[in-house]
């Protein structure tokens, strides 16, 4: 579901004014273009208003939540670092949103993702790259586009796609100061748009700059 130019920038302004981080804004922009069908599972997450999966458009189906630390009867407890986890149900969509960097044994985590997918089903994930250390309860890794592509392919995922989320020297700078500037009303809106403009100017003269300074990645694959 493609977002028009004007809807895209209207959404960006709305999200900035709600104090979403630059990385989260780019993640939401990517997610809003995807329409889901069938039952889904959100790994390492719970059903909260801040959950990024709420921005997916769903035609039908429900979302099941699996998490190691949340003690809630609505959440299935699972340790993503242990494989196999013996969850019998298969899902049409599996989400791993801003979780992979917190998983020390990431290979077992990705194996669990693969085992939870039904045939011809979809895997969606996001992970930061240029982002502060944020323990939850630990923060281990920053992954590159090449690593994500090769790792998912080696684990028998198909149609692997990795999309750069946000890019540029100025957007990275804005990300560094965002936690402080968001306390000043409307200044983030001005800073974000200015940084976006200057990064576009640099990209015009150096097109590969997008690959060098990513805020993070959105990745998808199929089983």
């Amino acid at each position: 579901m493609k977002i028009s130019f004007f809807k895209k920038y209207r959404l960006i302004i709305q999200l900035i004014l709600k104090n979403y981080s630059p990385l989260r804004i780019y993640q939401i922009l990517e997610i809003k273009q995807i329409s889901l069908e069938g039952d889904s599972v959100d790994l390492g997450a719970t059903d909260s208003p801040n959950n990024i999966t709420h921005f997916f458009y769903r035609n039908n189906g429900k979302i099941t939540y699996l998490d190691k630390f949340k003690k809630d009867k609505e959440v299935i407890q699972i340790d993503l670092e242990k494989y196999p986890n013996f969850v019998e149900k298969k899902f049409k969509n599996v989400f791993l949103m801003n979780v992979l960097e917190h998983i020390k044994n990431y290979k077992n985590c990705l194996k669990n993702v693969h085992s939870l997918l039904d045939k011809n089903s979809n895997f969606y994930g996001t992970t930061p790259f240029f982002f502060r250390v944020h323990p939850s309860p630990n923060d281990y890794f920053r992954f590159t586009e090449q690593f994500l592509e090769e790792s998912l392919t080696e684990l028998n995922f198909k149609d692997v796609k990795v999309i750069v989320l946000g890019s540029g020297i100025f957007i990275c700078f804005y990300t560094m100061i965002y936690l402080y500037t968001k306390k000043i009303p409307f200044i983030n809106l001005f800073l974000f748009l200015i940084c976006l403009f200057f990064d576009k100017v640099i990209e015009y003269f150096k097109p590969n700059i997008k690959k060098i300074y990513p805020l993070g990645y959105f990745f998808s694959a199929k089983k």
Side-chain angles (χ1 to χ4, degrees):
M1 191 168 59
K2 192 72 173 177
I3 302 176
S4 69
F5 176 86
F6 293 105
K7 283 186 177 180
K8 176 181 176 181
Y9 281 93
R10 185 174 66 183
L11 180 59
I12 287 175
I13 291 170
Q14 291 172 348
L15 294 173
I16 292 171
L17 295 177
K18 290 180 179 179
N19 283 331
Y20 281 92
S21 72
L23 178 61
R24 184 57 63 92
I25 290 171
Y26 280 107
Q27 291 172 343
I28 291 170
L29 287 174
E30 200 60 44
I31 285 169
K32 292 285 282 184
Q33 300 182 69
I34 297 171
S35 180
L36 301 175
E37 292 186 1
D39 289 347
S40 306
V41 61
D42 194 358
L43 303 177
T46 58
D47 186 11
S48 73
N50 294 325
N51 195 314
I52 195 170
T53 56
H54 288 306
F55 289 92
F56 279 105
Y57 176 77
R58 299 198 301 277
N59 289 329
N60 54 56
K62 68 174 185 177
I63 295 182
T64 300
Y65 297 91
L66 276 66
D67 187 67
K68 179 180 178 180
F69 301 102
K70 184 72 172 179
K71 300 194 182 301
D72 188 318
K73 64 179 181 179
E74 301 298 325
V75 179
I76 300 173
Q77 285 196 292
I78 185 174
D79 187 343
L80 293 172
E81 295 192 75
K82 294 179 179 179
Y83 177 81
N85 263 295
F86 304 109
V87 176
E88 294 183 2
K89 185 174 179 179
K90 305 296 180 183
F91 298 88
K92 189 67 177 176
N93 308 285
V94 174
F95 308 131
L96 191 69
M97 301 296 180
N98 301 314
V99 172
L100 196 58
E101 68 272 17
H102 302 293
I103 305 293
K104 192 171 185 179
N105 195 334
Y106 58 84
K107 286 188 177 180
N108 276 354
C109 175
L110 293 174
K111 287 179 182 178
N112 279 314
V113 169
H114 196 273
S115 70
L116 288 167
L117 283 167
D118 204 350
K119 290 183 179 179
N120 301 313
S121 296
N122 305 298
F123 171 37
Y124 301 104
T126 58
T127 188
F129 185 80
F130 192 91
F131 199 76
R132 69 186 186 278
V133 175
H134 54 297
S136 183
N138 301 302
D139 188 357
Y140 294 109
F141 300 109
R142 294 295 178 270
F143 301 99
T144 64
E145 179 180 5
Q146 182 180 0
F147 173 88
L148 291 168
E149 288 177 346
E150 292 183 6
S151 295
L152 292 174
T153 301
E154 288 169 2
L155 291 169
N156 299 316
F157 286 95
K158 301 182 296 184
D159 299 332
V160 177
K161 296 178 183 177
V162 181
I163 298 171
V164 174
L165 296 177
S167 62
I169 298 168
F170 287 92
I171 286 294
C172 288
F173 167 73
Y174 170 65
T175 299
M176 292 172 63
I177 64 173
Y178 153 78
L179 284 177
Y180 306 99
T181 57
K182 73 175 185 179
K183 298 177 182 179
I184 307 172
F186 295 104
I187 194 171
N188 271 350
L189 178 58
F190 173 76
L191 286 173
F192 188 96
L193 296 177
I194 288 295
C195 290
L196 196 63
F197 171 77
F198 280 113
D199 279 333
K200 287 294 183 183
V201 172
I202 294 174
E203 188 179 347
Y204 178 80
F205 294 100
K206 193 175 176 61
N208 69 334
I209 197 79
K210 187 173 182 178
K211 298 278 188 177
I212 301 173
Y213 295 98
L215 290 184
Y217 299 100
F218 177 89
F219 51 93
S220 63
K222 292 182 180 294
K223 181 174 179 179

